Amino acid sequence: MERDQSRIAGAEGVPLVIGVTGHRDLLDEEQEAIRQRVRGFFEQMRDSFPDLPLMVMTPLAEGADRIAAEVAHELGIPIVVLLPMPRHLYEKDFQGESLREFQTMRELGEQIELPLLPELTEADVISQGAGRDLQYAQLGAYLAAHSHVLLAIWDGKPSNAPGGTGHVINFHQHDVIELIAGGQH
């Protein structure tokens, strides 16, 4: 019996939330293979948990996040777009075609916009710096904490990017985001 995957929660229960984290700067020649592996993963999750509706949560950053969102959409899996800060501030991360793509893709699902941390103002996050880093760390913690399964499209190399793939994986496994744990806010 086929279920209607367009419902986020219903009689079937709480959805199996798949959080997505991954690299932004994927090589063109890697993207189709990544797309196929993501499709296979989502299909495997659907087959392994036939009584649970799936849901994908992603911030729609360039690269891995958008590939996962596109595949989820193609498979009829609902998407939650998780924004690390108010949308008008987050959109400053994207330029030209990337911004247009983000604006189109964010309409694929419901949106959760994380508020600015209490000690921050818009001026603190309008451009790159410590305040914006804290917002990305908050995003990583939220994504990891609210996902049942974390899909990491990652080469395994550590990164210094706050809220980046390595930090999200570390939080998901150990409940620690370095930037937050280090008392830098």
Side-chain angles (χ1 to χ4, degrees):
M1 183 170 147
E2 195 168 305
R3 273 191 292 35
D4 176 10
Q5 284 283 322
S6 65
R7 292 175 25 188
I8 289 189
E12 295 90 2
V14 175
L16 179 67
V17 180
I18 301 170
V20 178
T21 187
H23 290 302
R24 289 182 175 212
D25 56 349
L26 302 175
L27 300 174
D28 290 340
E29 58 269 18
E30 297 175 328
Q31 292 187 27
E32 187 54 36
I34 291 170
R35 182 177 306 283
Q36 293 308 314
R37 293 202 57 192
V38 168
R39 178 179 295 281
F41 176 76
F42 288 159
E43 289 171 346
Q44 178 187 3
M45 289 289 97
R46 190 179 273 168
D47 291 345
S48 296
F49 303 100
D51 296 328
L52 291 176
L54 302 180
M55 181 177 75
V56 170
M57 187 182 322
T58 173
L60 288 180
E62 296 153 330
D65 290 358
R66 292 186 188 176
I67 288 174
E70 289 168 356
V71 172
H73 181 67
E74 291 166 6
L75 294 173
I77 300 170
I79 300 166
V80 172
V81 179
L82 180 62
L83 305 179
M85 60 196 69
R87 182 175 48 91
H88 70 280
L89 295 170
Y90 183 45
E91 285 181 340
K92 294 191 178 303
D93 278 3
F94 312 115
Q95 304 296 318
E97 183 58 34
S98 179
L99 176 59
R100 286 185 288 283
E101 183 177 73
F102 170 78
Q103 290 169 334
T104 299
M105 290 185 78
R106 71 180 169 79
E107 299 301 324
L108 294 177
E110 77 175 76
Q111 295 172 51
I112 297 174
E113 189 176 279
L114 297 179
L116 294 180
L117 291 165
E119 66 272 23
L120 298 177
T121 67
E122 282 197 17
D124 296 323
V125 299
I126 196 107
S127 59
Q128 299 301 322
R132 201 167 182 90
D133 290 350
L134 283 171
Q135 285 300 126
Y136 277 101
Q138 175 186 229
L139 168 79
Y142 187 99
L143 181 70
H146 290 83
S147 299
H148 299 110
V149 176
L150 184 65
L151 172 59
I153 303 168
W154 183 47
D155 59 11
K157 296 176 184 172
S159 167
N160 293 329
T165 306
H167 285 179
V168 176
I169 292 167
N170 192 43
F171 182 80
H172 192 70
Q173 294 176 335
H174 306 290
D175 290 335
V176 173
I177 290 278
E178 291 87 357
L179 192 62
I180 293 173
Q184 295 182 21
H185 74 274

